[in-house]
DNA sequence: CACAAAACTGACCGATCGGCCAGAGTCTGA
DNA sequence: TCAGACTCTGGCCGATCGGTCAGTTTTGTG
């Protein structure tokens, strides 16, 4: 059982760092100190390995979306906070979906990820139609997700404590997304 | 000479849509109505084909950076405007660099792209050190770049005229990046 | 200890990849 | 007309990929 989890985390790290297509099962096996056939014993296929890695994050995200869709209207400030918490909780998976989602949408689990992203955008577009609003949304969520994804690559994150990142992201997102209530723009 | 340019634009579209690794030379040849060997006649290798596609955008970006680095201090508002213009001008290349840069940094031209991105971040970090400022920068540029990259995937852009996109992006970026001068935050 | 289930492995398969090469058309200027 | 450069192609190569399978080792349990 330990190897099973090792393989998952090793594969996650490699998929995020080098890309799904560029990461061979052989390399995952080498890093785990086992054989390629052993990897395919624990995960029936490379696609299912990816699905196993990504699905939990997608489940959480879908749950949040449905809660809001069925639970009456949308309270942006509240959603933003929970959304950021989910991104931070699954912050290792975010680069995978963000950077490689478009490339891999023939893989079922990645197609599902794209679909979920689309539902989030629709959630926000209900109330806003102007180009400025649309782009503000795109920059906000794309920016947060991409920042988490590219943080270490560009040396942006470093050793910043998570709760500091959390509060800063919330501030930025509130400025961008929550309709001006207190501050004039 | 026409085929040469056709191959470049076809490859660009495919690399951006399906990913560099997932796009075979055979597929590019098929879409162009020629043979794989013919592609390799025009471009010595797949990597050089990618370099040929990406390099012009990188050249422009590097030129902008050096102008600012050597031309005394940084005037953010000015830089932001020129930066957005460059992103819009090369907006087909942006998805490639943004989404696949991390994955492909063993390819020389993509490593150069990452290096250029890093220089841009340093340009902005000179004056700002707080976590909030760092993340604000990350969200701003990551968000703009990613929005351009993922626009059509999430149905965000659609048929919005470019100059409208331009002015909206400038507004958003000025809010995020230009130190509060007129508006209090 | 016995024995079945689980875990694991080496060898192999077909497919596809990027790249190479000898040669065949095609075009142009002397 | 002919020589030489340019353009293009089919066929081939070695490497690597994901995946299969028969069979061995390890483990847990009565």
């Amino acid at each position: 059982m330990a190897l099973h989890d090792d393989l998952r985390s090793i594969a996650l790290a490699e998929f995020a760092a080098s890309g799904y297509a560029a990461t061979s099962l052989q390399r995952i096996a080498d890093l785990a100190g086992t054989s390629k056939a052993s990897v395919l014993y624990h995960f029936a296929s490379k696609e299912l390995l990816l699905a196993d890695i990504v699905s939990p994050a997608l489940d959480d995200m879908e749950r949040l979306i449905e809660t809001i869709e069925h639970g009456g209207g949308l309270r942006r400030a509240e959603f933003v906070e929970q959304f950021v918490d989910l991104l931070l909780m699954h912050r290792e998976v975010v680069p995978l979906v963000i950077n490689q989602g478009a490339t891999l949408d023939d893989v079922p689990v990645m197609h599902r990820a794209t679909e979920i992203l689309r539902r989030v955008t629709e959630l926000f577009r209900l109330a806003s139609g102007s180009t400025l609003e649309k782009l503000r949304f795109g920059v906000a969520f794309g920016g947060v997700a991409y920042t988490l994804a590219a943080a270490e690559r560009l040396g942006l994150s470093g050793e910043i404590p998570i709760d500091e990142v959390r509060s800063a992201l919330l501030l930025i997102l509130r400025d961008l997304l929550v309709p001006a209530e207190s501050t004039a723009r």
Side-chain angles (χ1 to χ4, degrees), chain A:
Chain A
M1 197 59 65
L3 177 58
H4 189 92
D5 292 345
D6 280 355
L7 288 174
R8 263 191 62 209
S9 64
I10 288 174
L12 169 54
E14 285 298 302
F15 287 164
S18 307
Y20 174 78
T23 301
S24 65
L25 294 178
Q26 185 62 63
R27 171 161 178 80
I28 295 171
D30 289 346
L31 290 174
T34 182
S35 67
K36 185 181 69 171
S38 165
V39 177
L40 285 166
Y41 168 78
H42 287 280
F43 304 91
S45 72
K46 194 185 181 186
E47 283 195 5
L48 287 181
L49 170 57
L50 179 66
D52 201 83
I53 289 171
V54 173
S55 289
L58 297 188
D59 292 341
D60 285 350
M61 194 62 70
E62 205 162 38
R63 207 172 299 125
L64 173 60
I65 293 175
E66 279 167 4
T67 296
I68 290 175
E69 282 179 346
H70 294 108
L74 169 71
R75 296 194 42 205
R76 287 197 177 187
E78 201 174 323
F79 172 72
V80 163
E81 187 165 344
Q82 294 183 37
F83 186 80
V84 168
D85 282 340
L86 275 189
L87 287 183
L88 286 174
M89 184 186 309
H90 298 287
R91 92 193 78 107
E92 289 184 304
V93 178
V94 172
L96 255 177
V97 173
I98 292 300
N99 288 330
Q100 303 178 54
T103 284
L104 299 176
D105 80 346
D106 53 325
V107 180
V109 72
M110 284 308 214
H111 186 74
R112 187 186 158 211
T114 301
E115 204 57 28
I116 288 177
L117 270 184
R118 214 182 39 72
R119 284 171 68 188
V120 173
T121 71
E122 282 179 0
L123 227 54
F124 269 82
R125 268 202 293 174
L126 293 180
S128 65
S130 76
T131 298
L132 180 59
E133 280 298 317
K134 283 182 186 173
L135 286 177
R136 211 187 283 277
F137 169 83
V139 171
F141 281 94
V144 170
Y146 185 73
T147 298
L148 289 178
E152 79 288 357
R153 180 159 70 107
L154 301 180
L156 279 176
S157 71
E159 60 301 324
I160 304 175
I162 286 190
D163 49 350
E164 195 174 340
V165 171
R166 188 186 114 99
S167 54
L169 286 183
L170 283 179
L171 247 174
I172 297 171
L173 277 185
R174 285 216 189 90
D175 280 354
L176 279 173
L177 289 184
V178 180
E181 8 188 42
S182 54
T183 312
R185 168 158 279 107

